[in-house]
Amino acid sequence: MIRSCYIIDDELHGIEVLAKYVQQTPGLELIGTETDPLEALRKISTKEIKPDITFLDVEMPELSGIELSYLIRDKTEIVFSTAFKNYAYRAYDANAIDFLLKPISYERFLQALDKIYAKKNTAPIEPVNNFIFIQPDNKKNHLKLNTDEITHIEGLSNYVKIHTQSEKVYTIYTSLKLILEKLPPSLFLRSHKSFIVNLKFVEVINGNEITIKGNHIIPIGGFFRKELMNKI
């Protein structure tokens, strides 16, 4: 199940951080951002935008995040974000799922999601099959590919290259984010903004590089290092 996310923050930096987290997290889709709380209220109230999860800044002009939350909390799950910890008790009084203190780490962001999934009594990602169907080179036929044959996936502009244990490489027109959602989360994760790796084939991690079976060298992006090390 894909959950739609909306970010309301009068500061662009706050939006950029959360937008990056949403976009790199399987099972989430960013459907909009807004710096004006009154405009956000209009969009949600008229159902112009229907978010499952709203990340809401507390300190905003004209209408505070706390005030806004009382007006939209029956339409969306709310996660507050702020640089001021003294707002925490008011956030929970407003029945928010969580309260994120800026600067927000990705790990803390994921903890907030866990609370939402626990409330809904669902897993973050629905069970994934051990195969996917792909259309290599944008052809009409669909090819069934076992996921345990995939060693790594490389993102290139608006398409990806799927590398396999047999050294076959399939080019398909999609994004890393979309294909990651179809893969077993216990084995596949992003090591870099341009790469997904299958942990099953990782042989060596040395500095900022991963050696995949077959002597393929994959870079590790600083942003993805912590998740990778936690996974292994």
Side-chain angles (χ1 to χ4, degrees):
M1 178 180 178
I2 303 297
R3 290 175 173 82
S4 57
C5 299
Y6 191 37
I7 302 170
I8 307 171
D9 195 321
D10 64 320
E11 295 184 354
L12 289 177
H13 177 68
I15 289 177
E16 289 169 357
V17 170
L18 287 171
K20 180 171 64 174
Y21 291 167
V22 169
Q23 290 165 349
Q24 76 180 48
T25 305
L28 299 184
E29 177 187 13
L30 183 62
I31 60 172
T33 65
E34 183 56 65
T35 57
D36 182 348
L38 293 176
E39 179 63 11
L41 174 60
R42 184 193 68 79
K43 289 180 178 179
I44 293 176
S45 298
T46 61
K47 298 184 179 180
E48 178 180 330
I49 192 164
K50 295 188 284 187
D52 296 316
I53 306 168
T54 297
F55 294 93
L56 179 57
D57 185 31
V58 174
E59 281 282 345
M60 293 185 292
E62 298 186 301
L63 187 67
S64 75
I66 300 291
E67 293 168 330
L68 177 56
S69 71
Y70 285 106
L71 300 172
I72 63 173
R73 62 184 182 181
D74 62 331
K75 300 176 178 66
T76 179
E77 299 289 357
I78 294 172
V79 175
F80 282 112
S81 64
T82 184
F84 306 99
K85 64 174 65 177
N86 56 301
Y87 283 110
Y89 78 96
R90 294 185 62 191
Y92 289 117
D93 185 57
N95 291 327
I97 292 292
D98 207 348
F99 178 89
L100 301 178
L101 190 62
K102 298 177 180 179
I104 302 166
S105 70
Y106 185 50
E107 180 180 8
R108 185 65 185 84
F109 172 84
L110 293 178
Q111 290 174 2
L113 291 183
D114 285 342
K115 292 183 180 181
I116 293 174
Y117 301 141
K119 179 180 177 181
K120 296 295 186 180
N121 196 28
T122 58
I125 301 172
E126 293 181 338
V128 182
N129 291 322
N130 61 355
F131 61 85
I132 57 175
F133 283 96
I134 61 174
Q135 289 179 277
D137 302 314
N138 212 26
K139 295 178 181 178
K140 291 184 178 180
N141 60 303
H142 288 74
L143 173 68
K144 182 179 179 180
L145 179 63
N146 290 330
T147 56
D148 59 6
E149 295 179 7
I150 300 172
T151 59
H152 62 288
I153 302 172
E154 181 181 4
L156 297 165
S157 187
N158 60 342
Y159 63 96
V160 302
K161 286 188 174 182
I162 301 176
H163 298 258
T164 65
Q165 188 176 12
S166 64
E167 298 297 328
K168 287 185 178 179
V169 179
Y170 301 97
T171 300
I172 64 172
Y173 288 84
T174 187
S175 66
L176 283 178
K177 179 179 183 296
L178 289 177
I179 198 165
L180 185 59
E181 292 173 1
K182 300 179 181 180
L183 299 170
S186 60
L187 285 179
F188 291 87
L189 79 163
R190 291 180 77 160
S191 66
H192 184 272
K193 64 180 182 180
S194 299
F195 287 92
I196 294 171
V197 297
N198 184 344
L199 295 177
K200 172 183 172 182
F201 294 102
V202 172
E203 294 190 331
V204 178
I205 297 177
N206 183 17
N208 293 323
E209 292 183 338
I210 298 172
T211 302
I212 295 288
K213 189 174 182 179
N215 208 33
H216 297 285
I217 305 298
I218 309 296
I220 300 174
F223 186 79
F224 300 95
R225 170 177 288 279
K226 186 173 183 179
E227 183 184 2
L228 171 66
M229 301 311 292
N230 286 341
K231 202 85 168 184
I232 63 173

